[in-house]
Amino acid sequence: MTPTTPTGSTTSTGSTIPTGSAPSGAVDDAGGSSRSDATDNRARRAAGPGRLLAIVLTGQLMAVIDVFIVNVAVPTLRTDLHASGAGTQLVVAGYTISYAVLLITGARLGALIGHRQAFLAGLAVFTAASLACGLAPGTGALIAFRFVQGAGAAVMMPQVLSLIQRAFTGAPRARALGAYSAVLASGAALGQILGGVLVQADLFGTGWRPVFLVNVPIGLVLLVLGPRGLRGAEEERPGAAGAGGRGAAGRYGSLDLAGLLLLAAAVLLFTVPMVLGQERGWPLWGWIMLGLAAVLAAAFAAYESRLARRGGAPLISPRVVGAPGMPLAVVRILLSMAANGGFLFVLTLHVQGALGYSALRAGLTFAPTCAAFGLVGLNWQRLPARWHSVTSAAGFLLAAVSFAGVGLVLRDGSDGGAWLFVCLLGVGAGLSLAYSPVLTRTLATVEPRDAADASGVLVTSLQLGMLTGVAVFGAVFLGRATGVGASADALWVTCLALTGTALCGAIAGLVRRVRYLR
């Protein structure tokens, strides 16, 4: 893998953005060059990007898994803690709420204090909160620690893309982003699987607690390796000269508190009813919150645009939001992740509720989807280059066929046999083709100085897509499922809705000449 040069950050077009520092092997006044020093530096750094990628992707995987790992532990957790229905909901949702609300803020903090420092700080909070969750004496404490855990993940996660953008260039960057995509979305299925394994094992009679405690040793290892392992990314120090002659302090000199409050409030008002609305029967307050979220989102967009015109430092740069391909990328990511989150949720309910699967078997049901998603995410770039522009649309089409297939093979109330395995492979491969190329191709157009903003926008889109999918498709399924036969019928109807969503993604992927989607 080829790291970026010490003199600047190379963009996808091969141009270099100067950082104002001389190269380590610069020609001296006598006309000679320090070739041996440059060679030594390259040799010392040759393995750096590989270590960096392993560290940040492991941290990212922990954060993504924790969104889902609790799902299959809920029955055991509720019995052990004597938790109410609302308390159990908040144990599951608390992490997701704080995670989604603070993601954009986490991206900006990385730009302010340095992506490496922000990643390690978020990792430390996440690891400590995981330990506290695993040792929590009651429901109230567990809910509080889950919110803290989500906050740590929100600080850690946006730095992953930024560090990859700065540590890699060219083909190595594309491969690193492929690995990032595979980890990010396959973590959902992995969380289900790992949760089932840990709950079923009941290690030392600890029941549900290992689903949190498993993060602690991994987090500690990453905290030990991180300070050295993350030095492979040459990042601009806060206050140093930046691209275009402006220092980082000029670009990120303030946290844009007004924008932060508007965005946090909008995301919170959207997230809470998405997470809790289904269980509460979609009360009036949920719809009011969704309406207010739309109003605040519009107010946030108007405020950020006005701040940028005045020469300020908006929380999300309009330049990033309007970058080529970014609006369409957000639409594609929302659709693919809504389908992904909704499908995992309803199929889990069906196999555990109607088919009587254990936590372990329910988790392992998603192994084909997880494996296909990861393999395709890592290898789609091996396809001929002329096919890359249509991979997303093709992925959505494959996912649509596979969703319909899952509904058909389970419609009679059976376990689907070998055909279910085939359909689950198709779901994983299709969603990976729909999502991974979008992320990689979009980020190829983003300059390294905008990596933090782009990371926050795309990861937030992913998270909101997951939440929306669980809420919408969960409502479709639960509205019709009351027994084995009814559950199978409800799954069939839900799979038809998922098929329609995937077809919308395919159509969106083919829209290339509509200016506002470019």
Side-chain angles (χ1 to χ4, degrees), residues 69 76 80 134-135 194-215 217:
I69 196 170
T76 306
D80 186 41
L135 301 177
L194 183 59
V197 170
L198 291 174
V199 172
Q200 190 80 14
D202 190 19
L203 299 172
F204 309 108
T206 52
W208 55 270
R209 297 181 185 274
V211 303
F212 300 113
L213 295 176
V214 68
N215 295 323

Side-chain angles (χ1 to χ4, degrees), residues 377-430:
L378 290 172
N379 294 286
W380 68 267
Q381 293 172 77
R382 298 177 185 272
L383 295 171
R386 65 181 181 275
W387 294 2
H388 287 184
S389 61
V390 298
T391 49
S392 181
F396 275 116
L397 288 174
L398 176 58
V401 172
S402 301
F403 285 138
V406 171
L408 280 172
V409 300
L410 296 178
R411 192 178 184 184
D412 61 357
S414 70
D415 63 5
W419 281 112
L420 178 61
F421 179 85
V422 172
C423 293
L424 291 175
L425 284 174
V427 168

Side-chain angles (χ1 to χ4, degrees), residues 64-125:
V64 175
I65 281 176
D66 258 63
V67 178
F68 301 92
I69 196 170
V70 183
N71 290 351
V72 294
V74 164
T76 306
L77 185 153
R78 185 171 185 175
T79 301
D80 186 41
L81 296 181
H82 306 289
S84 65
T88 305
Q89 282 180 260
L90 288 174
V91 168
V92 176
Y95 178 89
T96 305
I97 291 172
S98 62
Y99 180 32
V101 168
L102 296 174
L103 270 170
I104 296 290
T105 306
R108 174 53 59 88
L109 285 174
L112 282 169
I113 69 174
H115 302 298
R116 181 166 67 102
Q117 291 87 338
F119 178 87
L120 292 173
L123 176 62
V125 172

Side-chain angles (χ1 to χ4, degrees), residues 350 353-354 476-491:
H350 178 70
V476 173
F477 178 82
L478 292 172
R480 301 178 64 94
T482 56
V484 175
S487 180
D489 179 68
L491 183 66

Side-chain angles (χ1 to χ4, degrees), residues 1 76 83 97 105 123-124 161 175 222 256 268 278 313 388 447:
M1 295 181 179
T76 306
I97 291 172
T105 306
L123 176 62
L161 265 181
R175 288 194 294 271
L222 295 182
D256 180 18
L268 183 65
Q278 173 60 46
H388 287 184
E447 296 181 4

